[in-house]
Amino acid sequence: MAGFLTTHVLDTARGLPAQGLEITLYRVEGEARTELVQMVTNEDGRTDSPILPAERFAKGQYELVFEAGAYLRATGQAGAEPLFLDQIPIRFGISDAESHYHVPLLLSPFGFSTYRGS
């Protein structure tokens, strides 16, 4: 069995999935970042397919960048510029190439939370 990477973004201020939020995945090696994929969340706040599918899944250091500012502006939650939250980078490691890694984001205009989900 090969692993894969997924995410789920919930807008905790509105109590809804965060639809239309752009996410970019990078592989990190030392100081270098290599962009692997860009995706946008669907009506359920998820991507339509794994962000890193089994055939591309490998041990290593990765970074998900969530475009929270653009999403908050689009949903009328932005407030005054500059925004408190704009891009949210989450850097994490994959140590088991056989596991499912799920990195959810709970988002509001003034805070966020993440964890390793299932």
Side-chain angles (χ1 to χ4, degrees):
M1 177 181 158
F4 58 100
L5 173 66
T6 58
T7 191
H8 188 199
V9 185
L10 297 173
D11 182 334
T12 58
R14 296 171 59 211
L16 297 169
Q19 180 178 5
L21 193 145
E22 185 177 299
I23 303 165
T24 305
L25 175 68
Y26 297 90
R27 182 167 175 88
V28 180
E29 297 175 279
E31 295 300 313
R33 287 188 331 166
T34 303
E35 183 178 315
L36 299 179
V37 67
Q38 284 188 339
M39 299 184 112
V40 176
T41 57
N42 60 25
E43 64 281 346
D44 193 36
R46 300 175 189 274
T47 55
D48 288 330
S49 61
I51 296 172
L52 192 58
E55 61 272 8
R56 296 187 66 198
F57 198 77
K59 290 182 181 183
Q61 197 75 19
Y62 294 87
E63 184 174 86
L64 283 168
V65 178
F66 296 85
E67 297 296 335
Y71 169 80
L72 293 169
R73 287 179 188 96
T75 58
Q77 300 180 77
E81 296 284 343
L83 299 183
F84 181 70
L85 293 175
D86 195 356
Q87 289 186 328
I88 299 174
I90 299 174
R91 192 167 285 194
F92 59 96
I94 292 176
S95 60
D96 181 358
E98 303 298 314
S99 289
H100 172 203
Y101 281 72
H102 183 67
V103 182
L105 181 71
L106 305 177
L107 173 65
S108 78
F110 298 102
F112 69 92
S113 177
T114 191
Y115 54 94
R116 180 172 176 193
S118 58

